[in-house]
Amino acid sequence: MTGGIVNNLVNSAQSENIDDLYEEASHWHVNTGDETIHAKRLAGRFRTYKWLGHALYLLFFLGPYLRWEDSQAILYDIPGRKFHFFDLTILPQDVWILSLILMFFAILMVVVTAIVGRLWCGYFCFQTAWTDVFTWIEGKIEGDPAKRRKLDDAAWSSEKIRKRGIKHTLWLLISVLTGISFTAWFTDAYQLWSDLFTLDAAFMSWVTIGTFTAGTYVLAGFMREQVCLWLCPYARIQGVFYDRDTELPTYDFNRGEPRGKLRKGENTEGKGDCVACNQCVAVCPTGIDIRAGQQEGCITCGLCIDACDMVMDKVGKSRGLVRYASLDEIQGIDVPPVYKRPRIIASSALIMIAVFGIIYGLTHLGSLELKVLHERQPLFVQQSDGTIQNKYYFKMLNKTDKEMQVKITVDESINGLTMIGADKTIAVGSGDLRSHTIFVKVPNGFISAPRLPVIFHLSDASDPDTMVTYESMFFGPKH
Ligand code: SF4
Ligand code: SF4
């Protein structure tokens, strides 16, 4: 489908000559936030990359329907305080792994921004993606930017009501689907649809769907690029990550200036390559002029590069007047390779630490967790038969998604050691933390020191290989 859209756009762009482009862009003015931006759509490399980036959101819509062993493969079970990811179940005790994953993405964002600017914003951000789809629908129904502006200004008529009605209906459908898809990550997706149709869905499901439907409709349909310019916190801090070597869509002012319109028969000697056609700004989804230099509003989508390349092709000049380039490169200063830039080296080191931590965490998640607390008051009790008794509190956590029958055993490293309270298996529910009390007795004559190590094991009765060990102490009198 994407290919078809792209081809249509290519054809429409190629049918224009440079005079048409001047005429069309004469209405354009810089975005000051007081008017809806109706950006022109052109085909090109970066437009294709943008569609491919947006296509990743198919995972957002389809992901909740993936099944794994009769359950939802990826499920954020908030009431059960568990995160299921295929075979893995992450409990609150393992939340440090999720923190590391978040840290990984946060630092990755810093590194990527330092190298190529707001790559996330231009190609992957949900706000950009949804806005792009919404404006694509708008274009299909209301026509090209000039027609859309005309329709904005026109009085209400049956034609305007029809077009606006179709557009808003489609926007709302996408918004509702977005709300349901988001909610489906937190509850069984198939059950959610059934509950929605029978009006039996949980109150929180309705609230979440309603909130996300309204948010999507307003943010992507009405606020659009204003979110990138005024609301997004990342937009405000990204400048900190840039340096003179960051590659951004940049206008090569050395080559482009002095700019001027192409006129038939005019001697272009002494003029720059920019033909002042305004196409780079007409296609900009945030409505800025890249020729004014790097700006906060630029989401580095590269659409102005596609537009300028198309114009350069038309006027027979080499592409790249607007291109991904760093400030130093444009000014003819040598740019060090990425791996020699201190900021990149430091951030990459942090990323590696996070990656090792995540791998370690995921490979050491285990199915069972055991903590043994020794009774402190009193440390031991001398029984009437002369044996010394210690008391232990077991905390057993079943990290699987099935109930487990567990068995407690002890290394018989102390002669005469017996355990009370461990003769039967104990049921521990999925994700449950179960407490259990154990007494350990040793005849006084076998106690060779006031502190002796004692090693407990906790194992799955049906799979003895699933075992965890805890080393504690056995206390007795001084001899
Ligand atoms: S200036 Fe170019 S790269 Fe930046 S947002 Fe506009 S079209 Fe995208
Ligand atoms: S930079 Fe390129 S697209 Fe922009 S006005 Fe100049 S020639 Fe036209």
Side-chain angles (χ1 to χ4, degrees):
M1 190 182 87
T2 305
I5 296 159
V6 168
N7 287 339
N8 287 345
L9 291 166
V10 170
N11 294 339
S12 74
Q14 286 174 346
S15 66
E16 294 167 308
N17 64 36
I18 192 75
D19 292 329
D20 294 336
L21 296 180
Y22 282 137
E23 166 60 24
E24 174 223 74
S26 62
H27 310 288
W28 179 88
H29 63 86
V30 172
N31 175 20
T32 51
D34 54 353
E35 199 180 312
T36 306
I37 297 293
H38 289 299
K40 180 179 176 181
R41 279 180 182 252
L42 285 180
R45 278 179 300 155
F46 292 97
R47 165 44 71 189
T48 306
Y49 299 153
K50 206 166 162 59
W51 279 123
L52 291 175
H54 299 349
L56 289 177
Y57 282 102
L58 288 175
L59 293 175
F60 166 77
F61 288 106
L62 300 177
Y65 305 99
L66 272 179
R67 307 305 280 182
W68 185 259
E69 293 178 351
D70 293 335
S71 305
Q72 191 156 318
I74 306 169
L75 179 68
Y76 301 84
D77 178 2
I78 291 178
R81 294 188 296 155
K82 289 178 211 164
F83 169 48
H84 299 280
F85 187 80
F86 293 89
D87 230 3
L88 285 177
T89 300
I90 297 179
L91 298 174
Q93 288 79 0
D94 300 315
V95 84
W96 61 275
I97 300 176
L98 294 180
S99 309
L100 276 180
I101 292 172
L102 286 180
M103 178 176 137
F104 167 81
F105 281 113
I107 305 168
L108 185 67
M109 190 96 121
V110 173
V111 174
V112 170
T113 309
I115 298 173
V116 283
R118 295 165 69 178
L119 189 78
W120 162 258
C121 304
Y123 306 93
F124 304 108
C125 171
F126 31 84
Q127 172 64 23
T128 311
W130 265 249
T131 301
D132 207 31
V133 172
F134 274 41
T135 51
W136 176 77
I137 290 172
E138 186 174 69
K140 289 285 160 201
I141 296 166
E142 296 182 356
D144 62 27
K147 288 184 182 150
R148 271 138 61 192
R149 274 184 221 108
K150 212 168 150 194
L151 193 70
D152 284 351
D153 296 338
W156 283 100
S157 61
S158 57
E159 179 66 358
K160 185 167 177 174
I161 291 171
R162 186 184 67 80
K163 286 185 171 170
R164 289 282 151 98
I166 297 172
K167 178 178 85 174
H168 286 281
T169 305
L170 290 173
W171 283 3
L172 270 171
L173 280 175
I174 295 175
S175 303
V176 172
L177 189 61
T178 303
I180 295 174
S181 301
F182 179 81
T183 311
W185 290 92
F186 298 90
T187 185
D188 187 280
Y190 295 95
Q191 188 62 43
L192 175 67
W193 278 103
S194 148
D195 290 346
L196 289 174
F197 280 116
T198 55
L199 302 179
D200 282 334
F203 176 70
M204 272 318 292
S205 296
W206 292 111
V207 171
T208 312
I209 293 169
T211 307
F212 272 77
T213 299
T216 306
Y217 182 62
V218 171
L219 294 177
F222 298 93
M223 295 193 68
R224 306 185 183 186
E225 75 292 335
Q226 298 303 320
V227 175
C228 313
L229 288 167
W230 312 114
L231 284 185
C232 175
Y234 174 55
R236 312 232 78 82
I237 58 169
Q238 35 117 7
V240 179
F241 309 141
Y242 288 180
D243 55 28
R244 295 183 60 84
D245 300 323
T246 304
E247 300 254 339
L248 302 168
T250 308
Y251 169 66
D252 186 345
F253 54 87
N254 291 320
R255 185 184 147 190
E257 300 296 321
R259 72 185 78 155
K261 288 192 174 180
L262 271 186
R263 297 187 207 286
K264 263 190 193 143
E266 190 189 3
N267 182 2
T268 54
E269 191 140 343
K271 272 183 142 187
D273 280 354
C274 175
V275 295
C277 64
N278 272 349
Q279 290 302 302
C280 50
V281 282
V283 297
C284 178
T286 61
I288 62 168
D289 185 348
I290 192 66
R291 293 169 302 171
Q294 293 173 357
Q295 295 160 65
E296 191 179 37
C298 175
I299 56 171
T300 72
C301 63
L303 297 182
C304 51
I305 300 178
D306 283 342
C308 192
D309 282 350
M310 180 267 292
V311 174
M312 291 297 106
D313 289 349
K314 274 186 200 300
V315 298
K317 295 187 176 172
S318 59
R319 291 179 163 204
L321 175 57
V322 181
R323 64 179 183 274
Y324 261 96
S326 70
L327 217 51
D328 277 353
E329 185 191 328
I330 291 287
Q331 292 179 349
I333 301 167
D334 279 346
V335 179
V338 163
Y339 59 85
K340 284 193 177 165
R341 288 161 61 183
R343 182 184 301 216
I344 309 294
I345 296 169
S347 310
S348 303
L350 287 174
I351 286 184
M352 291 315 291
I353 292 170
V355 167
F356 284 127
I358 294 164
I359 292 172
Y360 175 85
L362 293 178
T363 52
H364 288 75
L365 269 180
S367 310
L368 268 175
E369 216 169 80
L370 172 65
K371 276 206 169 42
V372 181
L373 305 172
H374 188 283
E375 171 73 275
R376 311 302 295 172
Q377 286 292 340
L379 272 177
F380 61 89
V381 173
Q382 182 146 21
Q383 306 282 66
S384 54
D385 61 358
T387 54
I388 303 300
Q389 179 176 285
N390 282 209
K391 189 177 182 184
Y392 300 89
Y393 300 103
F394 276 52
K395 301 275 180 202
M396 302 169 292
L397 177 66
N398 173 5
K399 295 164 87 175
T400 69
D401 49 8
K402 293 185 187 73
E403 184 185 277
M404 207 185 260
Q405 293 290 330
V406 295
K407 197 169 163 36
I408 299 170
T409 51
V410 63
D411 272 2
E412 290 173 5
S413 50
I414 309 171
N415 281 339
L417 180 148
T418 51
M419 243 190 332
I420 300 167
D423 43 335
K424 288 189 191 137
T425 59
I426 304 156
V428 187
S430 161
D432 283 355
L433 180 66
R434 169 111 195 232
S435 301
H436 188 74
T437 305
I438 289 284
F439 295 94
V440 172
K441 285 166 126 187
V442 177
N444 200 356
F446 290 128
I447 297 174
S448 55
R451 288 162 59 98
L452 292 167
V454 57
I455 297 168
F456 295 104
H457 303 287
L458 183 72
S459 59
D460 179 357
S462 61
D463 175 18
D465 287 343
T466 303
M467 177 187 277
V468 280
T469 296
Y470 197 97
E471 185 169 332
S472 186
M473 282 292 167
F474 185 88
F475 293 88
K478 288 183 186 156
H479 289 287

